[in-house]
Amino acid sequence: MKVGLIGVGLMGHGIAKNIVTKGWELSFLDQVGNQPTTDLLELGAKPYDKAVDLAAASDVLVLCVTGSPQVEDVLTGSGAVLDGLRPGSIVIDCSTAIPSSTRALAAKVGDKGSDFVDAAMTRTPKEAEEGRLNLLVGGKEESITRIRSLLESFAENIFIAGDVGSGHQLKLIHNIISMGTIALIAEVAACAIQDGMDTTAMVDCLRKGGAGGAALERVAPYILEGNADLLRFTINNAYKDVGYYNTMAEEMDAARLMSKAAYDTLAGQIDQGKGSAFMPELVKLLQSPSQ
C-alpha cells in the first residue's frame, strides 16, 4: 500500500515519521509550512511538488491540514486532488473540520470511485512523534478495516464514531468541552489571582475536587509558574475549533449558549491581537490590566 501525506506540520511530521519507520511506503507534498523533512527523506520518504500527482501515486492519501477551508482547497481547489485520485483509493482526513463539509467532500470522493474516512486527532505533537495519538474515526466499516493497521502505526487509541463525518463531529464535541473548560479555569483563576489568592492552595483544592482533570493539569503549570508548555495550542486554533462547533450546532438547531460564551472569550483576545498566545496564557490575559 502506497501512502501519501499532505501537511507535514507539527502533527503531520510525527504521523509521517511513524508511517515510514513502521514499514509503509510514504510520499509527501513538499510545500511551505512543512516541518523540516530531512529525517523523512533519509528514511526513504519521497517528496512531490504537486498534490494531484501525489494523489495519483497513492493508494491511501492522508490529509493533516488546518480545517475545512484547507481540506476543500486541497481536494477541489488549488490542490486538485480529486483529479488525481485512483479508483479504489482512500482519503483519510486527520484535520478538525465541520461535519457538513466533510460529508459533502466525501460524496465527491465517492463519485471518483474512492472512499473518505475522517480520522480527527486529539493529543499533542509530542504524542504524534511517539505514535500515540487518539483518532476519532468516521467512515464505512470496510474502509476503516482496510486502513486500520495504518492508523495504528501512529495512534494509541482509535474510536469508531460512526459513518463519514462522525469522527469530525466527535472531535468538535471533545474540543468544545476541552477548550471551554480551559477558558473557564483561566477566567476564574484570573479572578482569584487578582484578589490575592494563594495559587498553590487554589490548584491543590481544584485538583482534589470536581474541577480536577486533564484541562486543569494543562493549565496548572501556568497558574503556578507561568509555564504554558503542556498546552502549546494557540487561542487562534481554539477559536477555530469552537467556531466550528457553533456552526455544527447551529446547523442542527441545537443549544449553544455555553459554547457561544467560550467563543466570545476567545474572540475578545483575538481582537486584541493575542491570538498567537497559548491557551494557558488566558490566565494572565483575562486579568485586569492594572494587575
Side-chain angles (χ1 to χ4, degrees), residues 7-284:
V8 190
L10 288 172
M11 300 294 282
H13 181 274
I15 291 173
K17 187 186 75 172
N18 278 283
I19 289 172
V20 72
T21 57
K22 293 174 182 176
W24 304 90
E25 184 177 341
L26 178 70
S27 301
F28 64 91
L29 182 64
D30 190 10
Q31 62 179 345
V32 175
N34 281 353
Q35 292 292 295
T37 56
T38 303
D39 58 339
L40 301 179
L41 296 171
E42 291 174 347
L43 289 165
K46 180 180 178 181
Y48 275 77
D49 292 329
K50 294 182 179 180
V52 63
D53 295 335
L54 176 62
S58 302
D59 300 306
V60 176
L61 185 66
V62 181
L63 309 181
C64 191
V65 296
T66 304
S68 288
Q70 291 76 24
V71 177
E72 291 167 2
D73 184 58
V74 166
L75 287 174
T76 64
S78 65
V81 159
L82 278 182
D83 294 334
L85 282 180
R86 298 177 178 180
S89 62
I90 297 177
V91 175
I92 304 173
D93 181 12
C94 292
S95 70
T96 301
I98 300 170
S100 57
S101 172
T102 298
R103 294 179 180 116
L105 291 172
K108 293 180 179 180
V109 169
D111 289 342
K112 301 293 288 188
S114 301
D115 279 333
F116 190 104
V117 173
D118 45 308
M121 306 170 288
T122 68
R123 295 187 167 172
T124 71
K126 177 178 181 292
E127 285 86 17
E129 291 288 332
E130 295 169 350
R132 297 179 49 249
L133 290 173
N134 290 333
L135 294 181
L136 320 179
V137 180
K140 295 179 182 176
E141 182 178 355
E142 56 268 31
S143 296
I144 296 170
T145 299
R146 181 178 161 197
I147 60 171
R148 186 165 187 118
S149 59
L150 175 64
L151 300 179
E152 289 173 345
S153 74
F154 57 89
E156 181 176 37
N157 299 299
I158 297 174
F159 304 94
I160 310 301
D163 293 334
V164 169
S166 299
H168 283 153
Q169 184 179 44
L170 182 55
K171 174 64 182 291
L172 297 182
I173 290 169
H174 174 279
N175 274 24
I176 186 59
I177 294 172
S178 177
M179 295 299 111
T181 302
I182 288 165
L184 178 58
I185 291 170
E187 182 178 289
V188 298
C191 176
I193 291 168
Q194 282 183 215
D195 196 43
M197 170 69 68
D198 181 316
T199 55
T200 300
M202 177 179 68
V203 170
D204 190 37
C205 172
L206 295 177
R207 280 173 167 161
K208 294 174 180 176
L216 176 63
E217 291 310 313
R218 291 181 175 180
V219 179
Y222 189 84
I223 296 172
L224 296 172
E225 55 197 50
N227 181 359
D229 287 346
L230 282 188
L231 187 59
R232 298 177 65 83
F233 194 78
T234 67
I235 291 172
N236 280 328
N237 277 333
Y239 174 78
K240 169 185 68 72
D241 290 0
V242 173
Y244 280 4
Y245 176 86
N246 282 337
T247 296
M248 178 181 73
E250 183 177 8
E251 290 175 349
M252 297 168 59
D253 194 26
R256 51 192 181 277
L257 295 176
M258 301 294 287
S259 61
K260 185 178 184 302
Y263 183 82
D264 290 344
T265 295
L266 300 172
Q269 295 304 315
I270 290 172
D271 289 344
Q272 296 177 48
K274 307 297 184 181
S276 61
F278 295 126
M279 281 294 288
E281 295 180 80
L282 277 174
V283 173
K284 179 64 176 178

